Amino acid sequence: MAVFDIIPSNFFSVLVSGNREIYVEALLLLHHMFKFELNIKVDDYISSLISLQEDKDFNPEEDDELPEGGLTPSGKARLILNRFIKTGWVEKEFLEGSFVEIITPQPYAIPVMKLLDELGKGGVKEYNSLVFSTYSGLKQAKEEQKSQMYEAVLSAKSNTEQLEYQLRSLYHGIKSYLRNIEKENEVNQLLKDHFENYKQMSDRIYHPIKTMDSIHRYMTPIQNILTDTLSNEELMQLMCERAMTIKRYENELLAEEEIISAINYVLDAYQSLDDIINQIDRKHSTYTKSSIEKMRYIMTADQTIKGKLAQLLKAYANAENEQKEAIGELFEKNIRVNRQEFIDGKSLYHKNVRSRRIDAEPLKIRKDDGFSELAMNGMLEYLKNRYSVTRVKEFVNSLFKENKNSVESRDISIDSESNFIMLILAVVRANERGMNYKIEMNNGHVECNGYRIPNMVIEKKEGKGHVE
């Protein structure tokens, strides 16, 4: 199913509008109220939105219907709410048994609002003990509550998917910090990025994965439990019956296929997680090493006038056009730069002396028969090697199709100069000894892809259907 089969086509228009900052703040307010109120009243949302957007400029959209009395704070808030209704973020309805209007966020809009909220906060999520949760759930279900083994397998698959997602996010997160090191040239900012931002992410995600929720500690027990489950027919039958009561499959075969697929997914995932962990370790080491080396380089950089001037020129070269003008003005005001020249032995030169053109008898061209003969022999040798008798025979054999013993000119396809030359040589060499074909010439010519060839029939000789 396509994404826009579920959400409206103009759903994301509020995020690219000129009022996008106002719309995003309004969506974050709606998400905040959604977390604490089951039924969001329209009046409460409008009141909160007025106080939030009171001092901000809002430009109505082209299809907005302006309220009577002008664009008041209340009218602006209602335009924002109507925009969310038009683009499919929310809908208005009456609270059951009353005339109180409430706002109902669309199911597909709720995770998008949550994502915007998380991006705005920029915080690092706490890592949940996904590996231990998988192990403990499978172990408890197998030893104590076998009737719930089906739920344990589905939970194990869900935890494993989330684990893979977090590990891949961690890997690419470290890569983004590496890119920041290349751009940053301030020691203080590098220290801040390392001890505040990177360390926070490392302590909340990387450290737990390597210590308390170690994949290597629980990987083998998880694999053993799932492997034993696959080989236990009684337990598999019990899981299929449980699945039929929960999801109501058409038959037990479909239920068994889903269970086996979930178990195999977890087993395969834990085989590949070790490689992901190793790559994360290498990226972590690379980041630590690069961060230290960049700080060391900046602290030991050339602080002389020459070094500072080089940094200024580097900043000027990397600046945009407007910034270059500003930097150039600063140079003129604060730095006195003079042109310096000197003379040395390499600076001396002789003045060009003009010479008059004198008419004289042209030099005679000496005829070198030896060179001409050598060039002609070389050309003939090249043609002989490129268009050998064997190649001519192979070309003629390629013209006979579907086990036919003859081919006419109108059935010959010539799509290159090389094929045209081969056909000429085939005609020239037709009467030579050892050729496996003969040519019967007819009157007229035939046009073939822009090439004009004689009207002829090429036939195989008896007993020589192909080239040996």
Side-chain angles (χ1 to χ4, degrees), residues 170-188:
L170 174 61
Y171 175 77
H172 290 286
I174 297 176
K175 291 180 68 175
S176 68
Y177 281 102
L178 276 169
R179 289 192 293 270
N180 290 339
I181 290 176
E182 297 176 0
K183 300 176 183 177
E184 192 56 58
N185 291 313
E186 294 291 335
V187 175
N188 291 336

Side-chain angles (χ1 to χ4, degrees), residues 324-336:
K324 281 186 176 181
E325 293 181 2
I327 295 174
E329 292 178 0
L330 290 174
F331 281 172
E332 293 177 0
K333 293 179 181 179
N334 301 287
I335 301 176
R336 183 174 296 175

Side-chain angles (χ1 to χ4, degrees), residues 84-144:
F84 292 158
I85 295 173
K86 289 180 181 178
T87 53
W89 287 81
V90 299
E91 61 181 3
K92 281 196 305 185
E93 60 184 358
F94 289 100
L95 189 62
E96 186 176 358
S98 69
F99 293 100
V100 177
E101 282 188 312
I102 60 173
I103 299 172
T104 303
Q106 297 289 4
Y108 51 78
I110 295 172
V112 180
M113 290 190 291
K114 182 182 178 183
L115 174 62
L116 293 174
D117 187 30
E118 292 174 351
L119 290 175
K121 292 178 180 178
V124 180
K125 288 184 178 181
E126 295 286 351
Y127 173 75
N128 298 319
S129 300
L130 298 171
V131 183
F132 177 74
S133 298
T134 301
Y135 166 70
S136 60
L138 291 172
K139 183 179 180 182
Q140 184 178 7
K142 184 179 180 182
E143 296 180 355
E144 301 177 10

